[in-house]
Amino acid sequence: MGDPLETLRKILALEEKDYGFQDKAVAGGLARYVATWRKQAAQFYGESAGPWIEDVAVRLEAYSSLQPDARQQALQILKEVVQSPPSVATGEPSSMPAPAPVPAPQEQEPSPKAGEGLRASVTLLSGVGQRRAELLGKLGVNTIGDFLYFYPRRYEDYSQLRTIDHLVYGETASVIGTVWEAGGRQTRGGMYLFRAILSDNTGTLEVTWFNQRYLEDRIKPGMQLVVSGKIEEYLGRLTMNSPEWELVGRSDLETARIVPIYPLTEGLTQRWLRQTLRQALSAWAYRLVDPLPETLRKAYDLLPLGRALWGIHFPDSFDHLRAAQRRLAFEEALYLQLGLLQQKLQWRSQPGRAIQAPEGYLESLLEALPYALTGAQRRSLDEMLQDMATGNPMNRLLQGDVGSGKTVVAALLMAVTAVTGGQSALMAPTEILSEQHYKSLSRLFAAFPASEGNSNLAGALRVLTGSTPTAEREEIYAGLADGSVKVVVGTHALIQESVVFKELALVVIDEQHRFGVEQRAALRQKGYNPHLLVMTATPIPRSLELTVWGNLDASVLDEMPPGRQEIDTCVLYPNERERAYTFLRHQVAEGHQGYVIYPLVEASEKIDARSAVEEHERLQKEVFPDLKLGLLHGRLRSEEKEAIMSGFVRGEYDVLVATSVVEVGIDVPNATVMLIESADRFGLSQLHQFRGRVGRGEYKSYCLLSAENASEEATERLKAVEATNDGFVLAQKDLEMRGPGEFLGTRQSGFLELPMISLADIRLLHAVREAAERVLQHDPDLALPEHREMARHLGDFWGMTGDPS
C-alpha cells in the first residue's frame, strides 16, 4: 500500500487551487473521505499513530461543516498537520507541531474556566445562548459533558431508504418524500386528524397524525420529509399512521449516510443539534483524557474515548456505531461494577456477629411448619445460614415470584437469630404490607417451639408504623432498647432516631427498590454490621442480577409451594367490557370478591386513560348498584386506606376499585377476579404483581386485561402476561421491551439510568465483571497512576447514583 498521506496532500491541493475551498475535491465533501483515511492510515502507520490519525480525521470532518470563508484557514492548518507524519516503524511523529485548534463554523469555542472542563456550562459552546441552554436543560443537558454524552435515540441510514414503489404492507420502513398536500380536520368523534401526501416520483404515500394540531405550522407543501413507521393499507392506498418524522435537506443526504436522531423539545431542531454537536466534538472529543488504560482497552478490544464519542454521534459505518456503543456501554458498566465490588469487598472485610442455630433447633422449626419447604426454599435457607455462621455480615438477595414463600424463609432466619440473642427488623414500603408481614409472622412464630431464652417468640414480635399510637410506640422503643422485643416489623418508622436496638443482628428489607439509598443505609446502621437480607417479588433477570444487584449474593425461589394455583388470564377487546362486568358479578354471586384496577386516581386531560374516582362512581350507580364497592387510592390518608383495606378483608365490600396502591401487601384469599382497565398503561412486571393479588386462596381465580387503542408494543405486553404465569419469564421480557431504567424504577432505587447498557447483553456484562475483578485484584483502591482518571470518573458516577449498598 502506498502512503495515504500522499493522496491526502493531493486532495488538499486540489481543494485549494482548483475548487477554491468549495469542498468539492472529493465527491460528497472531505467529510466523506474520513472513513477511507482512517482505514488506510491505520494500516500504514499502525495503532500507535492513532491520536495523529484522529486529529487529521476530525479536521477533515469539521472542514465540511465550515462556512467557505472559514475553510481557507482550516485547510492551511490541515496542510501543516500533515507535514510531519509519524514514522511507519515507531508511530512517533518526526517533528509534529502541537495540534492547532479546529475552527468552528462561526467562531472558536470559548475555553472554560480552569478546573471546569466538561462541567462548564453549555453556553460556552458556539450558538448556545441562554434561550437554547434553557431548552437543552429540559433534555437534561446543562454542561458540555452532558452535551457530548447526549446520545441519539435512533439512527436513519439514508443509504438504505426505501422508495415508495418498493414498500410492503406490514413492514416498518423509512421514506423520504416531498409534501404534495398537507392539512388537518376535526373528525365526527371529536378527534383532530392531520394528513399529508408524500411523493418521491415512484409513488405516493398517505401519512396521518392524530391530535397534533401544531403540525399545521410545521409541515407545508413543498417540504422534504423523512418518515419512519409501519406501512399499512387503506382502500388500496399505502398509508402510515403517526410515524416519526423530521425535515431533511440536501446536505443531510450528501454528508451523512447514518444520521443520528435525538430526543427533542419544542424550539430545538435535529439539524441544529447535529451541527452544534459536531462543533462540540471537534473541539472536545480528542482533548478528553481517556479514563480506561490502554492495556484495558486492548484486552477487551475497546475504542479510544474520542473515537467512540464520534462514533456514537456521527458513525462512519454501522461497525463503527456498534464499536462505539460497546465501548461506552463497557465504561458505564465498569463504573457500576467497580463500585459494587468495592462495596462487597468492604462489607465482607468487616467483622459481624456469627449466628448458628443450636443443635436440633432448625429441625424443630421445620417440623413445626404446616407444610414442607420446597427444594428452592431449603436451598436458599441453607445458603443464608452458612453466610450468617461465618462471622462476616451476610449481604444477600432473595428473589421469588408472588407466592413463592419468601416470608417463611425470613421467619426461620429471624427465629434462629432470636435464639442466639440477636434482634431482627423487617422494613416494608407500606403500612398495609407491614401489617400483612406481622400477621404472617405471628402465625408462624406461634407454631415455633420454645427454647431456652426464647420462650415465646410470637410475644416478642411487634409492628411499628407511622400510625402506631404514642403509648404503644414508646413501649416498643423500650422493648427494642432492652432486647425484650426480638423481632420488629415496620415502615420508615423503623429508621427514626428514637429507635434504638440492643442487639440488631439481622435486617430484612422487602421490595427494596421502593426505598431510597439513605433509607436502606439508615436501618442497617442501627446495628453493628448486621446481616442483610433483601427480598423482592419482582423476579430479576440474570443479566440484571449481575449489575445493579452485583454487590449482593443471590438466592432464587424458582419453585412454587404445592397447592398454589395458576391464574387464568385473558386479554379483552374494548367491546367486551360488559362481559367482564357480568363475569365479575357472577363471582360475587358465588360468594367471592374482586378488584377493578385503574392507572389514574382522577381524570386527566393529558392522559387518555380511565380513572378510579370517576369510574368508582359510574360503576356504583350504573353497573353494580346492588353491590358494595370500595375505593382505594394513594391520595387517601393512611387511616382511610387502612379502614378500606380492612373492610375489604372482612368482606364488607364486594368489589374494590383501586389504583396501583394494591400492587403489594394485600392478601385476600376470597378475592378471585381482577379486572385491570387501561392495562396498556402498566409494565409487564407490574401487571404480574397485580395478578398476584388474586389466587391466594383455595378458589380458582382470574385476571382480565382490558385496553383501549393499545399500541402494537402494548398489545404484545398484554399477550405476554396472558401466555404465562412465570414471573421470571415476564421479567426478562419486560426488561427487553422497556429497558433498564423503567424496569428498575431508578428514581426509587437511587440508581442513575445507564443509557448505553443493554442489560440483556449478558456476554458484555460478564466481560465487564471480569475486568472489574481483575482491576481490583491488583489495585483495590485504584491508586496506581494508570487508574487515577478511572477513579475520578468512578467517584463522579457514584456521586450521582448513591452508595451502591
Side-chain angles (χ1 to χ4, degrees):
M1 176 194 295
D3 187 345
L5 202 52
E6 290 302 318
T7 302
L8 179 57
R9 285 171 179 159
K10 291 177 182 178
I11 290 172
L12 297 182
L14 193 65
E15 173 68 12
E16 178 179 13
K17 295 176 181 177
D18 290 17
Y19 291 105
F21 312 108
Q22 295 300 309
D23 198 23
K24 294 183 178 180
V26 177
L30 293 187
R32 292 296 296 270
Y33 184 65
V34 169
T36 301
W37 159 255
R38 280 198 179 106
K39 180 178 180 180
Q40 293 179 349
Q43 292 175 349
F44 189 80
Y45 291 103
E47 288 186 9
S48 57
W52 175 79
I53 295 171
E54 291 301 330
D55 186 34
V56 173
V58 169
R59 296 174 192 282
L60 289 170
E61 282 198 310
Y63 184 87
S64 291
S65 64
L66 297 174
Q67 298 296 327
D69 57 354
R71 287 181 181 151
Q72 183 173 357
Q73 178 190 0
L75 195 69
Q76 294 308 314
I77 295 174
L78 251 173
K79 289 168 64 177
E80 292 175 11
V81 170
V82 301
Q83 286 304 313
S84 303
S87 65
V88 177
T90 66
E92 295 296 328
S94 52
S95 58
M96 187 190 302
V102 179
Q106 301 299 331
E107 58 186 55
Q108 185 64 28
E109 301 292 354
S111 297
K113 296 177 182 178
E116 281 189 319
L118 295 183
R119 294 184 177 91
S121 170
V122 285
T123 55
L124 288 178
L125 296 172
S126 298
V128 184
Q130 192 58 42
R131 173 59 183 154
R132 278 181 170 151
E134 291 173 1
L135 295 175
L136 287 171
K138 293 181 179 180
L139 298 172
V141 175
N142 298 295
T143 67
I144 293 174
D146 294 338
F147 201 43
L148 294 179
Y149 286 87
F150 182 59
Y151 300 137
R153 58 186 172 88
R154 64 183 179 88
Y155 301 85
E156 285 286 2
D157 183 1
Y158 282 176
S159 71
Q160 299 298 318
L161 290 169
R162 306 289 290 276
T163 55
I164 292 175
D165 63 335
H166 282 84
L167 295 178
V168 177
Y169 297 135
E171 73 174 356
T172 298
S174 296
V175 178
I176 283 184
T178 301
V179 180
W180 275 13
E181 299 175 12
R185 63 180 177 85
Q186 199 81 18
T187 66
R188 290 182 179 177
M191 183 177 292
Y192 178 80
L193 182 149
F194 185 84
R195 173 176 166 272
I197 303 295
L198 304 186
S199 172
D200 65 356
N201 297 323
T202 71
T204 59
L205 174 67
E206 182 178 308
V207 186
T208 304
W209 291 270
F210 300 95
N211 293 328
Q212 298 187 35
R213 289 182 179 274
Y214 72 93
L215 294 179
E216 286 187 2
D217 300 322
R218 300 285 296 276
I219 297 178
K220 302 288 186 182
M223 289 181 171
Q224 194 169 40
L225 303 184
V226 58
V227 291
S228 301
K230 186 176 180 180
I231 305 301
E232 299 180 24
E233 179 264 343
Y234 178 70
L235 298 178
R237 300 193 302 269
L238 291 171
T239 64
M240 193 181 282
N241 290 320
S242 301
E244 296 192 16
W245 69 278
E246 70 162 311
L247 291 172
V248 293
R250 185 172 298 278
S251 61
D252 294 316
L253 302 178
E254 291 180 347
T255 61
R257 188 171 69 87
I258 303 173
V259 178
I261 308 296
Y262 296 92
L264 290 179
T265 188
E266 189 70 25
L268 297 179
T269 65
Q270 294 289 346
R271 189 172 301 176
W272 179 84
L273 263 176
R274 291 185 199 120
Q275 180 183 15
T276 310
L277 262 165
R278 191 179 287 275
Q279 294 174 35
L281 288 167
S282 297
W284 283 91
Y286 292 105
R287 291 169 58 184
L288 302 179
V289 178
D290 196 326
L292 302 189
E294 186 176 0
T295 52
L296 183 66
R297 296 201 307 268
K298 285 186 175 181
Y300 292 94
D301 192 25
L302 303 173
L303 292 180
L305 178 59
R307 177 80 170 127
L309 286 173
W310 272 105
I312 204 67
H313 292 289
F314 302 105
D316 302 328
S317 63
F318 278 106
D319 285 342
H320 185 196
L321 174 59
R322 283 188 286 269
Q325 289 172 329
R326 184 175 183 277
R327 152 62 204 245
L328 295 170
F330 192 102
E331 185 176 346
E332 283 180 354
L334 182 63
Y335 298 144
L336 181 65
Q337 287 296 309
L338 286 171
L340 292 171
L341 285 171
Q342 283 183 330
Q343 193 275 342
K344 190 171 186 177
L345 292 171
Q346 179 186 15
W347 184 260
R348 285 182 168 174
S349 68
Q350 297 171 333
R353 178 188 179 114
I355 294 178
Q356 193 160 8
E359 185 175 354
Y361 182 64
L362 178 62
E363 287 68 25
S364 66
L365 293 178
L366 296 176
E367 289 175 4
L369 292 175
Y371 43 76
L373 295 183
T374 65
Q377 285 175 312
R378 187 57 198 260
R379 181 180 66 246
S380 297
L381 177 64
D382 289 344
E383 290 170 347
M384 295 170 198
L385 290 173
Q386 289 172 15
D387 286 351
M388 294 169 66
T390 63
N392 295 320
M394 176 179 72
N395 203 26
R396 189 167 283 274
L397 165 69
L398 177 62
Q399 58 166 315
D401 211 340
V402 177
S404 59
K406 297 180 293 297
T407 303
V408 69
V409 175
L412 292 166
L413 293 179
M414 291 172 176
V416 171
T417 300
V419 82
T420 61
Q423 294 170 294
S424 301
L426 190 161
M427 186 164 71
T430 66
E431 292 193 11
I432 293 175
L433 186 53
S434 296
E435 292 287 350
Q436 189 65 55
H437 279 308
Y438 174 73
K439 292 174 183 176
S440 299
L441 291 174
S442 295
R443 289 193 295 268
L444 290 168
F445 289 169
F448 286 169
S451 61
E452 185 177 351
N454 186 23
S455 58
N456 183 8
L457 188 54
L461 167 68
R462 303 302 296 270
V463 59
L464 179 64
T465 70
S467 301
T468 304
T470 302
E472 185 179 349
R473 182 188 302 267
E474 294 299 326
E475 181 186 334
I476 295 172
Y477 288 166
L480 291 172
D482 65 22
S484 59
V485 173
K486 299 292 186 182
V487 180
V488 63
V489 180
T491 58
H492 305 80
L494 295 177
I495 63 177
Q496 301 302 314
E497 289 186 14
S498 48
V499 177
V500 177
F501 292 83
K502 180 181 181 181
E503 190 68 45
L504 180 61
L506 173 63
V507 169
V508 181
I509 297 178
D510 194 19
E511 297 296 336
Q512 91 129 6
H513 63 284
R514 292 173 173 265
F515 293 104
V517 171
E518 295 81 6
Q519 294 164 335
R520 299 193 297 266
L523 180 57
R524 202 179 63 202
Q525 291 165 3
K526 294 286 184 180
Y528 178 71
N529 299 333
H531 300 285
L532 176 66
L533 174 62
V534 170
M535 301 194 302
T536 178
T538 302
I540 299 164
R542 284 291 308 279
S543 52
L544 193 60
E545 207 179 284
L546 197 64
T547 55
V548 172
W549 304 84
N551 59 329
L552 301 170
D553 298 309
S555 295
V556 180
L557 299 182
D558 51 7
E559 297 177 57
M560 297 300 285
R564 179 72 178 178
Q565 297 185 41
E566 285 199 352
I567 300 161
D568 284 355
T569 304
C570 180
V571 177
L572 302 177
Y573 293 102
N575 60 1
E576 295 180 298
R577 183 170 286 107
E578 291 301 324
R579 286 182 56 201
Y581 293 157
T582 301
F583 184 78
L584 182 54
R585 178 181 288 280
H586 176 72
Q587 288 292 303
V588 172
E590 291 190 352
H592 304 310
Q593 295 163 279
Y595 300 89
V596 184
I597 307 298
Y598 295 95
L600 303 178
V601 175
E602 294 180 315
S604 167
E605 293 182 1
K606 297 182 178 180
I607 302 175
D608 182 20
R610 294 173 180 260
S611 63
V613 173
E614 284 75 10
E615 287 295 296
H616 170 263
E617 182 178 357
R618 184 185 69 85
L619 291 174
Q620 185 69 83
K621 288 182 178 180
E622 302 175 14
V623 183
F624 304 118
D626 55 327
L627 303 182
K628 291 176 289 186
L629 272 61
L631 175 63
L632 182 68
H633 56 76
R635 294 183 188 173
L636 297 174
R637 296 194 304 273
S638 295
E639 56 270 26
E640 291 176 317
K641 294 178 189 174
E642 294 293 327
I644 293 167
M645 198 57 246
S646 298
F648 189 57
V649 171
R650 292 192 298 268
E652 296 173 5
Y653 300 108
D654 300 306
V655 177
L656 185 64
V657 177
T659 60
S660 60
V661 71
V662 303
E663 184 179 350
V664 294
I666 295 179
D667 189 357
V668 184
N670 191 44
T672 59
V673 60
M674 172 170 284
L675 169 61
I676 303 176
E677 293 278 12
S678 301
D680 54 308
R681 307 289 305 182
F682 299 107
L684 263 173
S685 292
Q686 195 173 21
L687 289 171
H688 185 58
Q689 288 289 311
F690 289 146
R691 178 168 59 182
R693 297 304 102 205
V694 295
R696 304 182 76 84
E698 58 186 288
Y699 312 109
K700 181 65 179 174
S701 296
Y702 308 86
C703 181
L704 310 176
L705 306 176
S706 177
E708 296 175 281
N709 302 318
S711 66
E712 184 177 345
E713 180 181 329
T715 301
E716 182 183 355
R717 207 161 56 231
L718 300 182
K719 288 294 185 182
V721 179
E722 183 181 55
T724 181
N725 276 268
D726 190 326
F728 288 90
V729 172
L730 290 174
Q732 180 63 38
K733 182 74 173 177
D734 199 16
L735 177 62
E736 293 168 1
M737 293 185 69
R738 293 200 297 158
E742 288 185 64
F743 181 92
L744 287 170
T746 49
R747 289 185 180 178
Q748 286 99 339
S749 71
F751 283 98
L752 182 73
E753 280 199 44
L754 307 177
M756 289 308 303
I757 299 179
S758 168
L759 294 179
D761 188 351
I762 296 178
R763 184 178 301 176
L764 172 68
L765 293 169
H766 275 287
V768 173
R769 183 75 167 198
E770 176 190 76
E773 289 172 342
R774 286 183 177 181
V775 168
L776 293 180
Q777 183 178 0
H778 293 97
D779 186 14
D781 298 320
L782 301 181
L784 294 176
E786 62 267 30
H787 293 152
R788 285 175 187 165
E789 189 68 14
M790 186 192 301
R792 186 178 70 79
H793 281 256
L794 178 66
D796 289 344
F797 179 90
W798 283 106
M800 289 184 288
T801 59
D803 176 7
S805 64

